[in-house]
Amino acid sequence: MADRTATAVEADPTAPPPAPYRPAVPRPRTRRAAGRGSGGWTPWLYLAPALAVLGGLLVYPIHQLGLISLLEYTQAQVSGGEPTSFQGFGNYAALLRDEQFRQVLLATVAFAAACVAATLALGCALAVLLTRVRALPRLALMLAALGAWATPAVTGSTVWVFLFDPDFGPVNKVLGLGDLSWTYGRYSAFALVLFEVVWCSFPFVMVTVYAGIKAVPSEVLEAAALDGASSWRTWRSVTAPLLRPILAVVTIQSVIWDFKVFTQIYVMTGGGGIAGQNLVLNVYAYQKAFASSQYSLGAAIGVVMLLILLAVTLVHLRLLRRQGEHL
């Protein structure tokens, strides 16, 4: 081979040198080709136990909930005194004709929106604060927040009712409000429940957003500071866009949690307030199903809540995909 190359160069000195010999390297298989074999089922085998558990704990109850919502299922059918009859969408039509249901639905949407906005605002503000304080205050704030997060809803609601008690609560004495009863008025009762919901919900937002902020490259924040951006402008124009996937997750979680609030309303307002002025959908469904023994109407309310939450989640995720974000 060397002799032939030298001979060719001597015969034509202007000819370019021959290319060096490179052994052929096999091309890697594409992802699609790799998944065609038997290994394509391997991930599903690992997910099978979790899918089986979810099927038993989620799919079957939802199926039963939807089935009961299509039947006439009251105490008479439960006791066997009357046969169960198929109503179709009759229960849903009855809900749409119910004026109280429409009022409760509107109150639930407004209350959940206020809780989500307050939770996100407080959680994000404290997450930014954690990045600006020293280690000891940061540790104290984290422990206090996690303590609030770990407190059971019944315990936290009972403590908040005591704190705002008109006779023995310290809040009225400190604020000089006398014997003001927070649970008597509709809006004051909703405000009291909102305080408790935000108190037990903001730690999740704070910890999650704080972890996201710590993952933001320091060079980006330094560049914003060198450009003269204020703290608010840096958060609005630099940090928040980078944290959009994380903010989407905490927003969806907050919407789901706050829309289906039950324990706080039931404990702090005594089952829905005076004359049902503080009812939300979850408590209203409980009253229909167990207090009035109209189990089919209670199931229909549960299906409506499920569809609303599913629609909100899908719309939010679709908006994120249009903006080029991937969760």
Side-chain angles (χ1 to χ4, degrees):
M1 177 67 69
D3 294 340
R4 293 180 181 178
T5 303
T7 304
V9 172
E10 291 176 357
D12 188 3
T14 61
Y21 172 75
R22 294 179 181 177
V25 179
R27 297 178 60 184
R29 292 189 301 170
T30 61
R31 184 181 302 177
R32 184 182 227 175
R36 290 176 182 172
S38 59
W41 293 97
T42 303
W44 293 103
L45 293 177
Y46 285 111
L47 291 174
L51 293 177
V53 173
L54 288 177
L57 298 180
L58 186 63
V59 176
Y60 180 74
I62 291 177
H63 169 264
Q64 290 296 106
L65 185 71
L67 179 62
I68 294 175
S69 69
L70 300 177
L71 304 175
E72 182 183 2
Y73 201 70
T74 62
Q75 186 61 39
Q77 283 75 29
V78 173
S79 60
E82 295 181 7
T84 302
S85 60
F86 182 75
Q87 297 293 317
F89 294 99
N91 293 318
Y92 298 95
L95 287 179
L96 294 178
R97 293 192 300 265
D98 187 1
E99 179 65 24
Q100 187 180 16
F101 170 77
R102 295 195 295 268
Q103 294 177 357
V104 172
L105 176 60
L106 181 61
T108 304
V109 172
F111 176 73
C115 289
V116 171
T119 301
L120 292 177
L122 181 60
C124 292
L126 292 178
V128 175
L129 179 63
L130 287 176
T131 62
R132 298 177 178 272
V133 297
R134 297 182 180 275
L136 188 58
R138 180 167 60 248
L139 178 62
L141 180 58
M142 292 281 283
L143 292 177
L146 292 177
W149 193 15
T151 303
V154 175
T155 304
S157 301
T158 305
V159 170
W160 275 80
V161 169
F162 169 75
L163 292 175
F164 287 84
D165 185 84
D167 298 322
F168 306 103
V171 175
N172 283 8
K173 295 180 181 179
V174 172
L175 299 179
L177 299 178
D179 57 351
L180 173 66
S181 177
W182 288 76
T183 58
Y184 183 79
R186 183 187 185 190
Y187 297 105
S188 60
F190 269 129
L192 180 60
V193 178
L194 183 144
F195 295 155
E196 202 279 335
V197 170
V198 173
W199 174 75
C200 66
S201 301
F202 84 87
F204 170 73
V205 178
M206 183 191 72
V207 173
T208 307
V209 175
Y210 172 72
I213 293 176
K214 297 300 289 184
V216 173
S218 59
E219 296 82 1
V220 178
L221 302 178
E222 292 176 0
L226 292 176
D227 290 338
S230 61
S231 299
W232 167 245
R233 184 60 184 273
T234 302
W235 165 262
R236 184 170 61 90
S237 302
V238 178
T239 308
L242 293 175
L243 297 179
R244 190 176 290 125
I246 295 177
L247 293 176
V249 172
V250 297
T251 300
I252 293 173
Q253 290 282 2
S254 299
V255 169
I256 294 174
W257 290 341
D258 296 342
F259 192 82
K260 62 183 186 65
V261 165
F262 174 84
T263 305
Q264 291 87 342
I265 289 285
Y266 194 84
V267 172
M268 300 178 72
T269 65
I274 300 174
Q277 64 181 1
N278 297 113
L279 283 176
V280 293
L281 282 180
N282 234 352
V283 180
Y284 188 60
Y286 175 83
Q287 288 187 354
K288 285 292 184 182
F290 298 102
S292 302
S293 297
Q294 297 177 339
Y295 303 106
S296 53
L297 286 179
I301 297 173
V303 172
V304 171
M305 293 180 59
L306 176 64
L307 294 177
I308 292 175
L309 291 176
L310 183 62
V312 171
T313 303
L314 292 178
V315 169
H316 194 69
L317 293 178
R318 180 164 184 157
L319 291 176
L320 286 175
R321 291 195 64 181
R322 285 184 177 178
Q323 297 173 359
E325 300 292 342
H326 300 281
L327 296 181

